[in-house]
Amino acid sequence: MIKPYKLIGFSDRTYYGTTNNDAIEDVYNTFKHAKLSNIMMLDEQASSKKLQQLVTSQDSLTLLFPDEVSLSIFQSILPTTNKKVPGINFTRMTIALDEAKENKVDVYLASETTKDLYKAKIRLDDAKQYIKHQLKEIDQYDRYEKYVTTKNRSIYVPENNPSIATQQYFSRNVSGKVDDFKNALFTNPKIVKLSQNRQSNVDKYSDDRSVMTVFKNFYTLSFSNMLGEEETRISKSHLMANTIGFINEHGGYTNDYRYKSVDYVNQKVAYQLFMSGLPVEPANKAMMTEIDVKWESGKVSTYTRPYYELENIPTDEEKNSVKLQTAPAILQALESQNPKVTIVDLRLGYRMTSEERGTSAVVFTLTPNWYYKVKEEWIEVPTSISTVGGAASGLE
């Protein structure tokens, strides 16, 4: 569930990149047979320039994460020789693909939030073969380029016009999924009472300590617990671990939900829906494509999420393909429209709309588009700009 949203390779003075899930799994499968050791702090205030140099000073592979990841949580993917590694958080991991020594390769862990930079070693059974394999795989990625924004920030984006198919997904027995969550979340489902507001199409399930509100128009539910006033804060690593455990307990990862963000101050963790390797954003903000968990007093206070489960409908991808503008063209249009806005990142994603079919089935349509990030928010690029043949300017 804790996966990078983008892989950036650098080899022979060329940038490569991918969001392909198979490529991510290939790297993760290597981690399962590796050991991380010799962790040391390199810099407590690493500049953006220094982080950029890590990517381009040698052949390398960089994993970019959507928010800070705690190394203690990542140990489930990449074990370390230390039992516990407290206090290390990172947003990117750069693996050096130069000559291995004693079957070890260098790895750099950097946080764009705290500016902390660590160096460590990954021990592999055959590091030279690993390097050879990764350099071959990088060559299969798409060509990327580095775009420097007006705020002097480097963004890695595809070089060519992406062409991605619109997809459709079917969700059967949507109303029945509500009962599944009711039975899983309430301590004693038999005593739960139901009240319905037919005008707003909102149902409320409750017992003496919990309430589950179901927004039927948007296939979303919010489960809340009434807690005491005890102030108990959970550390960042335990916050993530507890959230993973809570969602796993009731099979809550109903589709490919990937780690999106952690907010230690407000004790929140969020997961984003991904389909075909790309993040999904709702066309209507009242609909959700996220799982959000908020903790208070060491317990879940609010749990908000979709209750649909998507099943693929086979379609003719070639016929449904959408050709999008190049990333540099999008960025230039955004910056010319509003040069004062700091664009943090740009990525491809899907815009999700829905249509009811019958009494209990829904068809969800996912249309490819560009999304740009300002502060912590991903914003949809208007289709008149993002698609080939659309206007070159005129952002809304």
Side-chain angles (χ1 to χ4, degrees):
M1 305 300 173
I2 301 175
K3 294 182 179 179
Y5 68 93
K6 192 183 296 183
L7 298 186
I8 299 297
F10 184 79
S11 180
D12 195 25
R13 299 184 181 181
T14 304
Y15 291 101
Y16 300 90
T18 185
T19 58
N20 184 282
N21 195 46
D22 291 338
I24 295 170
E25 289 296 330
D26 180 57
V27 176
Y28 273 31
N29 286 335
T30 301
F31 286 167
K32 292 175 184 176
H33 305 287
K35 288 280 188 181
L36 192 72
S37 63
N38 302 94
I39 302 170
M40 59 179 291
M41 168 74 80
L42 280 187
D43 199 332
E44 291 187 78
Q45 281 296 316
S47 64
S48 299
K49 184 177 181 180
K50 187 169 185 176
L51 295 181
Q52 166 63 18
Q53 288 173 342
L54 285 177
V55 178
T56 58
S57 61
Q58 57 200 335
D59 288 343
S60 64
L61 182 66
T62 299
L63 290 72
L64 303 177
F65 294 87
D67 200 357
E68 282 197 327
V69 176
S70 169
L71 184 56
S72 60
I73 291 294
F74 205 74
Q75 281 180 268
S76 63
I77 301 166
L78 177 57
T80 69
T81 54
N82 306 83
K83 289 185 179 179
K84 291 184 179 180
V85 186
I88 297 179
N89 301 289
F90 59 93
T91 57
R92 59 166 65 183
M93 174 184 287
T94 298
I95 305 165
L97 299 178
D98 56 359
E99 187 66 26
K101 296 178 182 178
E102 299 177 348
N103 275 344
K104 292 180 180 179
V105 295
D106 292 334
V107 60
Y108 299 89
L109 307 173
S111 171
E112 292 170 294
T113 306
T114 64
K115 305 301 181 184
D116 290 343
L117 174 62
Y118 294 86
K119 182 180 180 181
K121 299 280 187 182
I122 294 181
R123 183 175 181 82
L124 300 160
D125 291 335
D126 192 342
K128 290 184 179 179
Q129 182 60 33
Y130 162 77
I131 290 171
K132 184 178 179 181
H133 169 73
Q134 288 297 348
L135 288 173
K136 184 179 178 181
E137 288 298 307
I138 284 174
D139 193 46
Q140 307 303 312
Y141 296 170
D142 296 325
R143 286 288 187 101
Y144 268 50
E145 62 181 283
K146 183 181 73 172
Y147 183 92
V148 181
T149 69
T150 53
K151 303 295 183 179
N152 205 32
R153 184 183 180 92
S154 296
I155 299 176
Y156 303 99
V157 291
E159 190 176 84
N160 299 318
N161 297 82
S163 185
I164 304 171
T166 295
Q167 299 190 13
Q168 285 195 316
Y169 293 86
F170 193 70
S171 186
R172 309 169 194 271
N173 190 25
V174 179
S175 57
K177 304 267 191 270
V178 174
D179 284 334
D180 292 341
F181 279 105
K182 182 197 76 172
N183 293 331
L185 296 173
F186 285 96
T187 305
N188 186 355
K190 292 181 179 179
I191 66 170
V192 172
K193 296 178 181 179
L194 168 63
S195 63
Q196 296 178 301
N197 186 326
R198 299 189 186 282
Q199 187 173 351
S200 62
N201 213 16
V202 173
D203 291 351
K204 284 195 176 183
Y205 298 80
S206 61
D207 60 12
D208 58 348
R209 65 176 71 180
S210 306
V211 177
M212 186 174 80
T213 306
V214 179
F215 303 92
K216 295 165 72 175
N217 289 342
F218 308 111
Y219 320 109
T220 299
L221 64 84
S222 180
F223 181 81
S224 301
N225 280 313
M226 290 174 273
L227 304 171
E229 297 182 1
E230 177 190 0
E231 279 294 326
T232 304
R233 300 194 71 76
I234 308 174
S235 68
K236 189 175 289 186
S237 60
H238 284 99
L239 192 63
M240 293 173 64
N242 290 0
T243 301
I244 292 169
F246 167 73
I247 298 173
N248 272 331
E249 280 176 4
H250 59 272
Y253 293 111
T254 47
N255 284 111
D256 183 10
Y257 284 93
R258 301 185 189 179
Y259 167 67
K260 178 183 179 181
S261 63
V262 59
D263 181 345
Y264 175 67
V265 174
N266 294 302
Q267 299 277 277
K268 288 182 181 180
V269 181
Y271 287 84
Q272 174 88 41
L273 175 64
F274 273 67
M275 299 302 289
S276 299
L278 294 179
V280 180
E281 300 284 354
N284 184 333
K285 291 302 180 183
M287 189 182 292
M288 288 191 71
T289 57
E290 280 187 22
I291 295 175
D292 295 332
V293 184
K294 188 177 189 304
W295 297 77
E296 288 181 29
S297 305
K299 298 178 182 178
V300 172
S301 63
T302 309
Y303 176 45
T304 309
R305 59 162 300 139
Y307 59 81
Y308 54 76
E309 185 171 353
L310 303 183
E311 302 173 40
N312 185 250
I313 300 174
T315 56
D316 186 342
E317 293 200 2
E318 196 169 309
K319 186 179 290 186
N320 293 292
S321 184
V322 177
K323 193 168 187 179
L324 299 169
Q325 291 283 3
T326 64
I330 297 293
L331 287 164
Q332 287 167 14
L334 292 170
E335 291 185 328
S336 64
Q337 181 68 22
N338 196 344
K340 293 183 179 180
V341 171
T342 301
I343 299 173
V344 178
D345 207 348
L346 181 76
R347 72 180 184 189
L348 292 164
Y350 287 112
R351 180 180 190 267
M352 186 173 79
T353 56
S354 64
E355 180 185 352
E356 291 192 1
R357 298 282 176 89
T359 56
S360 63
V362 183
V363 171
F364 294 88
T365 301
L366 273 56
T367 307
N369 204 5
W370 284 108
Y371 291 83
Y372 65 102
K373 189 176 184 181
V374 176
K375 294 182 179 179
E376 300 302 318
E377 183 183 4
W378 285 99
I379 303 168
E380 182 181 4
V381 176
T383 54
S384 60
I385 298 169
S386 63
T387 55
V388 171
S393 60
L395 289 172
E396 297 175 349

